[in-house]
Amino acid sequence: MTTPTTFQGVFPAITTPFNADGSVDHGFLREHARWMMDSGNAGMIPLGSLGEGNTLDFHEKTAILETLVDALGDAPVIPGIASLSTHGAVQLAQAARDLGCRGLMVLPPYVYTSDWREMKAHVSAVIAATELPVILYNNPVAYRTDFLAPQVAELAAEHANLRGVKESSGDSRRVTALRAALPESVDILVGLDDMALEGVAAGATGWVAGLVNAYPAESVKLFELARAGDWAAARELYTWFLPLLRLDTVNKFVQLIKFVQEEVGHGSARVRAPRLELTAEEQAMVRDLLRAAQA
């Protein structure tokens, strides 16, 4: 089994599609992942925040990974690894390896958060559970654990398979701090859609994207323009895209992005409780944004 040596490019945080009865729609999942890969994405990240991973049970998660590994062939599937317990996260990481995933995105534990000593022990156990290359996911707003650049550097010095950081604090200065603290072998990935250009300008080499689920070609083009240093063209595309990209950074980002998918004909707005589908007023707001974009 080969593994990616870098985490560079656009990696969709793929949404989890549901059937009308609430079960996972594996047929659409397969089709959707292939459609996004055809637009030039670098790999697929299921089971994350956008993938509603915390509403899926263990067997649903492994079934999703089986579907994606089979659907994508040589393209890397890099699942989000999160659990209420360290044991549960280790178990999921090892199952992902055994199913053929080629990397992991490791999150802090759900619900419980604490000091650096405990959070380091948790993520270290998960990173060390397999030989797969790992992206550490830093999202202090959502998970109330903040991995600072010196702490990430400490982890990288102790774990050779820590090869990326998804930075979702919303502060572009974090990207420059991470780039200064980490070896070049550790890639930095932007984790918020409306910071894509700023992140690349600060040194990010990857983007874990959300609106890519509805606009894969545009997302890849934006990232490629930025990496190539074509800032005029990148800013023009970014200006057009930003009203939609900002949907990724609010509390109902899952519902909003899934609704955009449905509106553009590439998915369903169905979500799992406790999330509910958007109200009529919220739907109208999104349709206004889409009309403006299409104009």
Side-chain angles (χ1 to χ4, degrees):
M1 180 184 68
T2 58
T3 56
T5 56
T6 64
F7 291 115
Q8 299 186 8
V10 181
F11 293 84
I14 188 171
T15 53
T16 301
F18 297 114
N19 294 303
D21 65 0
S23 61
V24 176
D25 184 347
H26 287 271
F28 180 76
L29 178 66
R30 176 185 298 270
E31 173 192 327
H32 185 50
R34 286 176 169 167
W35 175 67
M36 286 196 286
M37 290 302 300
D38 287 344
S39 292
N41 287 287
M44 208 60 53
I45 299 184
L47 312 185
S49 306
L50 184 54
E52 297 172 81
N54 58 354
T55 72
L56 301 166
D57 66 32
F58 184 85
H59 297 293
E60 287 177 317
K61 289 180 179 181
T62 55
I64 286 169
L65 298 184
E66 285 185 281
T67 294
L68 289 174
V69 168
D70 179 67
L72 298 187
D74 290 337
V77 176
I78 306 159
I81 305 296
S83 175
L84 291 169
S85 70
T86 301
H87 170 76
V90 166
Q91 186 180 36
L92 181 58
Q94 292 173 338
R97 173 200 60 198
D98 295 344
L99 290 168
C101 294
R102 293 173 55 192
L104 306 171
M105 185 177 73
V106 175
L107 285 70
Y110 290 139
V111 182
Y112 181 72
T113 187
S114 182
D115 56 23
W116 168 233
R117 181 178 71 94
E118 289 190 329
M119 294 300 96
K120 179 186 177 184
H122 173 82
V123 296
S124 290
V126 185
I127 294 169
T130 78
E131 73 287 357
L132 294 177
V134 165
I135 300 168
L136 178 69
Y137 182 13
N138 185 49
N139 189 335
V141 176
Y143 297 106
R144 297 181 299 133
T145 295
D146 195 359
F147 296 111
L148 303 176
Q151 296 168 340
V152 179
E154 188 177 325
L155 285 169
E158 296 176 14
H159 300 282
N161 62 324
L162 179 57
R163 303 298 298 273
V165 184
K166 178 186 174 184
E167 174 50 50
S168 298
S169 68
D171 183 352
S172 60
R173 293 172 298 179
R174 293 294 191 93
V175 176
T176 53
L178 286 166
R179 188 66 286 155
L182 296 171
E184 289 295 324
S185 60
V186 180
D187 289 303
I188 302 168
L189 299 93
V190 179
L192 299 174
D193 276 5
D194 65 350
M195 227 186 77
L197 232 61
E198 296 90 330
V200 173
T205 54
W207 177 17
V208 181
L211 265 297
V212 66
N213 282 277
Y215 293 96
E218 293 85 349
S219 299
V220 170
K221 183 65 174 178
L222 175 64
F223 186 80
E224 289 178 344
L225 288 170
R227 286 300 307 277
D230 190 346
W231 295 110
R235 279 195 298 272
E236 182 179 1
L237 179 53
Y238 199 40
T239 299
W240 168 82
F241 211 175
L242 263 175
L244 292 168
L245 294 177
R246 291 188 179 113
L247 298 177
D248 178 61
T249 62
V250 296
N251 192 48
K252 291 187 179 181
F253 72 106
V254 175
Q255 296 95 312
L256 290 163
I257 290 173
K258 279 190 157 184
F259 182 72
V260 172
Q261 284 184 249
E262 184 171 282
E263 287 294 295
V264 300
H266 287 286
S268 164
R270 294 189 191 104
V271 290
R272 268 201 179 162
R275 291 180 178 89
L276 301 175
E277 293 186 32
L278 300 176
T279 65
E281 291 79 9
E282 290 165 335
Q283 291 178 8
M285 178 273 292
V286 176
R287 288 192 179 109
D288 285 344
L289 292 178
L290 289 170
R291 277 193 290 271
Q294 290 159 1

